[in-house]
């Protein structure tokens, strides 16, 4: 039997940038430790190679008579099949290509014929599309079991069209039991939508098997960072709903007074689609499908165990968790360090150690509030390209900063914590900008 160390000594799949050298603030350089997969995962090497192979044949899809257009159209539509097969979609489910999970959930929200129930622990992408007169919010319990009971009670109290939940939390990595949620929802005549942005990159999902009615995820978190997202699910609402992107491709006939809208994926994919992004995603999915599921799970479990055990051995560290009884947890670990601001710590980890983690409130403000987290927290996340060395690098750096403080001097400029005399070189195509142009989103 192999030890945890041996299990994740090497990447499970090679990623672009796996051996990237980055400059440190003191003028030296080091291997980049990318522990920010949950925000955007690196491209698989095979995905990047495939994109290079495809680009000469890249052309318009669906409307071009040229050879390259026909090849591109076939590749685009084949990708739809690959994605549907990968998530175990039903025969008559639609696979719609979008920009990302946020886009997919907004699309779904635009076609739901009734009220939606959501949990209070969601990423903003699975909260804001629903938070309106037509959404009801259930407070998750301290256990999965209690949460299921609360969902059951809410759905039983008053009919809802849809229950929309996260498959795996982008803050704690904890998963919810989809099959059980589907059973509960269906018992009340409610459909189940799953925000699988953090689930699909880590686990095989079976839409039909688990009883999931709609599934949303992002290519850039699934090792294909070329801008494609996915919504898979039941056809009827999608065919009846208003077209999401009105324009060419979504219509069959148009007069100045009226349009007859297509059904199927075309209805919601108006305009020229992201062919390269979709083909890249299909390639990444092919690679993930070929993994031995046990090896995949073991790799991630070894990394997670190592990180969690290491963090638990540092008294100043508090790991954020939701459920006492979470059965399965993916490679996402958030934590805070007593007496240290998360944003400052992340800045030091980057400037002095070449480590990339996420800091902030992770686009899940209500969840962080609920977890009692003040200010920015830190998140380390990993996947098939990560190794035990990456985790150990973070633990070593954290112990050093907590025990001895930073080795460099920092200052606050316009509310941002920055290293003084930071002359780390940048490629000329990515020049230094006013921080207000580069940091927005969910840090606050
Ligand atoms: N849901 C979850 C759970 C996420 O982690 C994220 C991304 N952080 C999203 C939705 C949104 O994904 P995207 O930014 O690709 O739209």
């Amino acid at each position: 039997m192999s030890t945890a160390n041996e299990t994740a000594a090497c990447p499970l799949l090679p990623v672009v940038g796996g051996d990237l050298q980055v400059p440190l603030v003191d003028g030296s350089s080091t291997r980049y430790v990318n522990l920010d997969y949950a925000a955007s995962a690196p491209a698989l090497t095979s995905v990047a190679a495939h994109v290079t192979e495809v680009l000469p044949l890249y052309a318009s899809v669906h409307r071009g008579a040229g050879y390259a257009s026909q090849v591109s159209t076939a590749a685009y539509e084949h990708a739809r099949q690959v994605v549907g097969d990968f998530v175990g979609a039903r025969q008559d489910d639609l696979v719609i290509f979008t920009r990302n999970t946020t886009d997919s959930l907004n699309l779904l929200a635009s076609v739901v014929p009734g009220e939606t129930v959501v949990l209070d622990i969601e990423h903003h992408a699975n909260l804001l599309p629903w938070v309106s007169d037509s959404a009801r919010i259930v407070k998750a319990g301290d256990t999965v079991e209690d949460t299921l009971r609360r969902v059951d009670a809410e759905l039983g109290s008053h009919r809802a069209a849809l229950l929309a939940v996260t498959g795996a939390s982008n803050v704690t990595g904890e998963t919810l039991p989809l099959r059980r949620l589907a059973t509960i929802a269906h018992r009340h005549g409610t459909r189940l939508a799953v925000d699988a942005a953090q689930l699909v990159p880590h686990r095989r999902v079976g839409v039909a098997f688990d009883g999931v009615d709609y599934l949303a995820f992002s290519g850039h978190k699934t090792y294909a960072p070329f801008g494609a997202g996915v919504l898979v699910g039941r056809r009827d609402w999608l065919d009846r709903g208003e077209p999401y992107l009105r324009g060419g491709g979504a219509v069959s006939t148009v007069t100045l007074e009226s349009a007859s809208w297509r059904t199927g994926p075309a209805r919601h994919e108006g305009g020229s689609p992201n062919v390269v992004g979709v083909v890249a995603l299909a390639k990444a999915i092919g690679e993930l499908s070929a993994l031995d599921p046990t090896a995949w799970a073991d790799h991630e479990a070894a990394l997670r165990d190592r990180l969690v055990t290491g963090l638990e051995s540092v008294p100043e560290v508090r790991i954020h968790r939701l459920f006492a009884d979470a059965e399965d947890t993916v490679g996402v670990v958030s934590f805070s360090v007593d007496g240290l601001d998360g944003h400052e710590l992340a800045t030091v980890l980057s400037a002095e150690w070449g480590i990339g983690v996420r800091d902030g409130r992770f686009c899940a403000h209500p969840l962080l509030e609920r977890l009692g987290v003040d200010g920015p927290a830190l998140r380390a996340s990993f996947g098939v390209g990560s190794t035990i060395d990456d985790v150990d690098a973070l633990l070593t750096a954290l112990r050093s900063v907590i025990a001895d403080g930073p080795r460099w001097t920092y200052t606050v400029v316009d509310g941002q914590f920055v290293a003084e005399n930071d002359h780390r070189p940048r490629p000329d195509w990515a020049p230094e900008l006013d921080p207000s142009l580069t940091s927005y989103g969910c840090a606050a």
Side-chain angles (χ1 to χ4, degrees):
M1 227 178 81
S2 58
T3 64
N5 268 1
E6 289 160 359
T7 307
C10 301
L12 204 53
L13 291 172
V15 296
V16 178
D19 52 4
L20 178 71
Q21 289 285 314
V22 290
L24 299 179
V25 73
D26 66 0
S28 64
S29 65
T30 189
R31 184 181 74 83
Y32 186 53
V33 175
N34 183 350
L35 288 170
D36 200 12
Y37 277 48
S40 283
L44 294 179
T45 307
S46 57
V47 168
H50 188 55
V51 166
T52 306
E53 179 190 2
V54 164
L55 277 176
L57 282 161
Y58 162 70
S60 69
V61 296
H62 297 143
R63 300 182 263 283
Y67 176 78
S69 284
Q70 291 184 357
V71 171
S72 287
T73 302
Y76 184 77
E77 291 303 329
H78 175 62
R80 216 186 283 286
Q81 189 67 43
V82 170
V83 170
D85 290 348
F86 179 65
V87 299
R90 292 156 291 253
Q91 190 81 38
D92 56 348
D93 280 340
L94 295 188
V95 175
I96 299 175
F97 291 120
T98 63
R99 287 175 295 185
N100 47 37
T101 306
T102 305
D103 206 20
S104 299
L105 292 169
N106 275 275
L107 160 56
L108 181 58
S110 74
V111 302
V112 175
E115 288 188 330
T116 299
V117 168
V118 292
L119 293 172
D120 64 341
I121 58 171
E122 300 293 333
H123 185 282
H124 295 168
N126 194 31
L127 204 55
L128 299 177
W130 316 110
V131 174
S132 67
D133 293 347
S134 66
R136 285 149 43 195
I137 299 186
V138 173
K139 243 173 133 341
D142 292 337
T143 60
V144 171
E145 287 306 320
D146 188 29
T147 304
L148 296 183
R149 269 194 298 276
R150 290 172 185 218
V151 167
D152 195 12
E154 177 63 30
L155 295 180
S157 74
H158 188 45
R159 193 178 172 280
L162 187 71
L163 168 68
V165 296
T166 183
S169 166
N170 69 308
V171 176
T172 66
E174 292 160 312
T175 62
L176 285 171
L178 300 185
R179 214 163 177 198
R180 293 182 64 197
L181 277 165
T183 305
I184 292 169
H186 294 162
R187 193 162 63 231
H188 297 292
T190 299
R191 291 188 182 180
L192 174 67
V194 176
D195 168 356
Q198 301 297 347
L199 189 61
V200 166
H202 300 279
R203 298 284 185 273
R204 284 304 294 263
V205 180
V207 164
F209 177 81
D210 286 325
V212 173
D213 297 290
Y214 296 95
L215 189 83
F217 64 99
S218 299
H220 72 100
K221 297 184 197 286
T222 314
Y223 308 104
F226 298 90
V230 179
L231 177 67
V232 176
R234 305 238 181 228
R235 178 170 198 129
D236 51 353
W237 289 358
L238 289 159
D239 273 353
R240 279 202 299 265
E242 288 291 308
Y244 185 58
L245 276 176
R246 291 163 176 257
V251 276
S252 41
T253 54
V254 180
T255 67
L256 288 180
E257 290 78 34
S258 68
S260 64
W261 301 101
R262 289 184 192 280
T263 53
R267 184 181 189 82
H268 301 291
E269 289 182 5
S272 302
N274 177 1
V275 182
V276 174
V278 161
V279 169
L281 177 56
K283 178 69 181 175
I285 274 173
E287 298 287 321
L288 296 178
S289 312
L291 287 177
D292 168 14
T294 313
W296 191 9
D298 285 354
H299 181 83
E300 204 170 286
L303 296 169
R304 195 185 158 89
D305 289 351
R306 179 83 154 207
L307 179 59
V308 168
T309 309
L311 290 175
E312 282 174 346
S313 73
V314 183
E316 292 85 353
V317 170
R318 179 163 64 101
I319 299 179
H320 302 304
R321 294 188 175 94
L322 264 167
F323 301 123
D325 59 346
E327 261 186 22
D328 188 19
T329 312
V330 302
V332 177
V333 180
S334 299
F335 56 96
S336 298
V337 179
D338 286 350
L340 287 177
D341 178 276
H343 171 59
E344 296 181 8
L345 196 43
T347 305
V348 173
L349 290 172
S350 168
E352 298 179 29
W353 299 85
I355 297 172
V357 291
R358 173 88 198 272
D359 65 278
R361 296 179 71 76
F362 314 133
C363 294
H365 294 182
L367 170 54
L368 265 77
E369 183 85 36
R370 180 199 159 107
L371 289 167
V373 180
D374 293 328
L378 288 171
R379 180 181 72 191
S381 54
F382 40 82
V384 296
S386 310
T387 64
I388 285 287
D389 281 352
D390 295 331
V391 169
D392 285 352
L394 174 62
L395 292 171
T396 303
L398 273 176
R399 288 193 189 105
S400 165
V401 181
I402 291 169
D404 305 323
R407 299 179 293 204
W408 197 257
T409 332
Y410 295 81
T411 184
V412 175
V413 178
D414 294 336
Q416 297 277 325
F417 185 78
V418 292
E420 281 183 4
N421 300 316
D422 184 355
H423 301 302
R424 283 178 285 173
R426 299 274 193 98
D428 56 9
W429 41 266
E432 189 117 24
L433 297 172
D434 180 328
S436 67
L437 297 174
T438 56
S439 64
Y440 62 93
C442 309

